[in-house]
Amino acid sequence: MEEWLAEEGYSLFGIEHDFRGADLSGGDFSGSWFTQAVLTGVRLAGASFYRADLQSTDLTGADLTGADLVRANLDGAVLRSARLDGADMVKASLHGVDASGAGFRGTRIMGASLFDADMRGADLTDAVLFQNTFKVTVDDATVVRGLTGTVFGPIRVFSGESFRELAGAELEAWIGERGGQVEVIAPGSPP
């Protein structure tokens, strides 16, 4: 792996590989393929995944602190309890992601698509959003203190076994009551 990281101009094809126990911090995985790979608990702090394919990858408990996930495809990935603090997720795709209990403290989630993403118990303290599709599931344990930016809703808020859907002013108020300040953009509105 160290030899590969030292090479220039190649994309890693880690499809369905098991990387558990690895420390890949600071690695440049731009354009690489990790589809259905196992990166459970792997250290990936400061790594670059620009335009990488991480579809259906298991990143449970992985440390992605400060990682570059710009334009990364994370559709169907498992990010349970992963640490993405300070990560750059501009234009990332997170459809059907399980990010329950994940940390997104100070993360830039801008122009990203979060559709059917489970963020129950996630920590979005001081995260920055900008014109995101933000159709996520949250609960009372989801932290949104300091969350700022603009989103297209709605979100589903679970309380026990029941949930309610919030959009528009109701969604802004829900986030505001928890210390965040987000503007919800109406569908069809100009940016």
Side-chain angles (χ1 to χ4, degrees):
M1 184 62 79
E2 288 176 0
E3 290 174 18
W4 179 86
L5 286 171
E7 296 285 326
E8 287 189 30
Y10 295 100
S11 294
L12 176 67
F13 289 93
I15 298 170
E16 296 181 351
H17 282 78
D18 190 334
F19 294 92
R20 279 181 284 203
D23 185 345
L24 305 176
S25 298
D28 185 356
F29 303 103
S30 298
S32 293
W33 294 80
F34 287 94
T35 308
Q36 297 180 348
V38 178
L39 293 162
T40 304
V42 173
R43 287 193 34 81
L44 299 159
S48 178
F49 291 95
Y50 176 73
R51 288 193 179 270
D53 191 321
L54 296 154
Q55 187 172 354
S56 300
T57 298
D58 187 348
L59 291 150
T60 301
D63 182 358
L64 290 143
T65 303
D68 175 357
L69 292 158
V70 173
R71 295 187 178 271
N73 177 4
L74 291 153
D75 293 349
V78 179
L79 295 165
R80 276 190 303 265
S81 302
R83 188 168 170 198
L84 295 113
D85 299 344
D88 195 348
M89 300 183 80
V90 173
K91 298 199 181 241
S93 182
L94 295 109
H95 290 240
V97 167
D98 179 355
S100 55
F104 295 93
R105 297 173 67 89
T107 301
R108 290 177 3 116
I109 311 170
M110 304 170 78
S113 182
L114 288 94
F115 187 82
D116 196 25
D118 186 345
M119 299 186 91
R120 287 180 273 194
D123 186 349
L124 292 153
T125 300
D126 297 327
V128 179
L129 309 172
F130 180 73
Q131 296 182 357
N132 294 301
T133 301
F134 201 63
K135 295 184 178 183
V136 301
T137 300
V138 298
D139 62 11
D140 292 330
T142 304
V143 180
V144 294
R145 185 178 49 257
L147 179 67
T148 59
T150 56
V151 297
F152 298 95
I155 67 169
R156 292 182 358 163
V157 180
F158 269 83
S159 183
E161 294 298 315
S162 64
F163 71 90
R164 59 190 171 130
E165 196 167 273
L166 299 178
E170 281 185 311
L171 175 53
E172 289 177 4
W174 186 86
I175 292 172
E177 290 166 3
R178 287 155 182 78
Q181 186 174 358
V182 170
E183 177 187 350
V184 178
I185 303 168
S189 296

